[in-house]
Amino acid sequence: MDLALKAAENAGKSGEVPIGCVIVLNNEVVATAGNRTLSDRDPTAHAEMLAIRQASETVGSERLVDCDLYVTLEPCTMCAGAISFARIRRLYYGASDAKGGAVDYGVRFFASPTCHHAPEVYSGLGESEAARLLRDFFKARR
């Protein structure tokens, strides 16, 4: 999670919402990304989406069955769907997102009967640091 927090911090320094993601396979990092929606002019360029694309390329498969994903904020519906389709083994996230989250809040995507694969989910990892990055970022914007 420390690497995901660093990616989030770097995204924030670039003017992006400070969210970072890391994907690990066999204790080795195969992808790291921060949000790039503004710089890429792409509403799908969330940290999770970018990291999943990078990991798929690195691993050579669209299925990331033995991979664990670490992200600083609870994934949205789009990212939860991508995590499911990629068959990510475990999801670790930092701060909860009552407004936009889709794992423990909102649609609770992985509990939906239409979800084909649900990873093991662990929340609250690095929560205070992830929440602080987001709070400071939005406070500076107001």
Side-chain angles (χ1 to χ4, degrees), residues 25-48:
L25 173 63
N26 299 324
N27 296 318
E28 184 177 321
V29 174
V30 294
T32 304
N35 269 14
R36 290 198 324 245
T37 60
L38 298 173
S39 62
D40 288 4
R41 300 185 198 287
D42 179 358
T44 70
H46 290 195
E48 301 95 308

Side-chain angles (χ1 to χ4, degrees), residues 81-94:
I83 288 165
S84 176
F85 287 132
R87 306 298 194 262
I88 297 287
R89 177 176 59 178
R90 293 185 195 105
L91 164 64
Y92 298 88
Y93 75 83

Side-chain angles (χ1 to χ4, degrees), residues 25-119:
L25 173 63
N26 299 324
N27 296 318
E28 184 177 321
V29 174
V30 294
T32 304
N35 269 14
R36 290 198 324 245
T37 60
L38 298 173
S39 62
D40 288 4
R41 300 185 198 287
D42 179 358
T44 70
H46 290 195
E48 301 95 308
M49 300 296 286
L50 297 170
I52 287 170
R53 290 176 190 143
Q54 182 183 6
S56 293
E57 178 130 349
T58 300
V59 171
S61 175
E62 76 283 7
R63 300 285 189 238
L64 303 173
V65 294
D66 293 321
C67 291
D68 299 333
L69 186 147
Y70 296 80
V71 65
T72 57
L73 184 67
E74 178 180 355
C76 70
T77 306
M78 173 182 68
C79 294
I83 288 165
S84 176
F85 287 132
R87 306 298 194 262
I88 297 287
R89 177 176 59 178
R90 293 185 195 105
L91 164 64
Y92 298 88
Y93 75 83
S96 296
D97 186 358
K99 184 176 178 181
V103 177
D104 291 319
Y105 287 93
V107 300
R108 299 177 190 228
F109 184 82
F110 299 130
S112 168
T114 59
C115 177
H116 298 291
H117 168 78

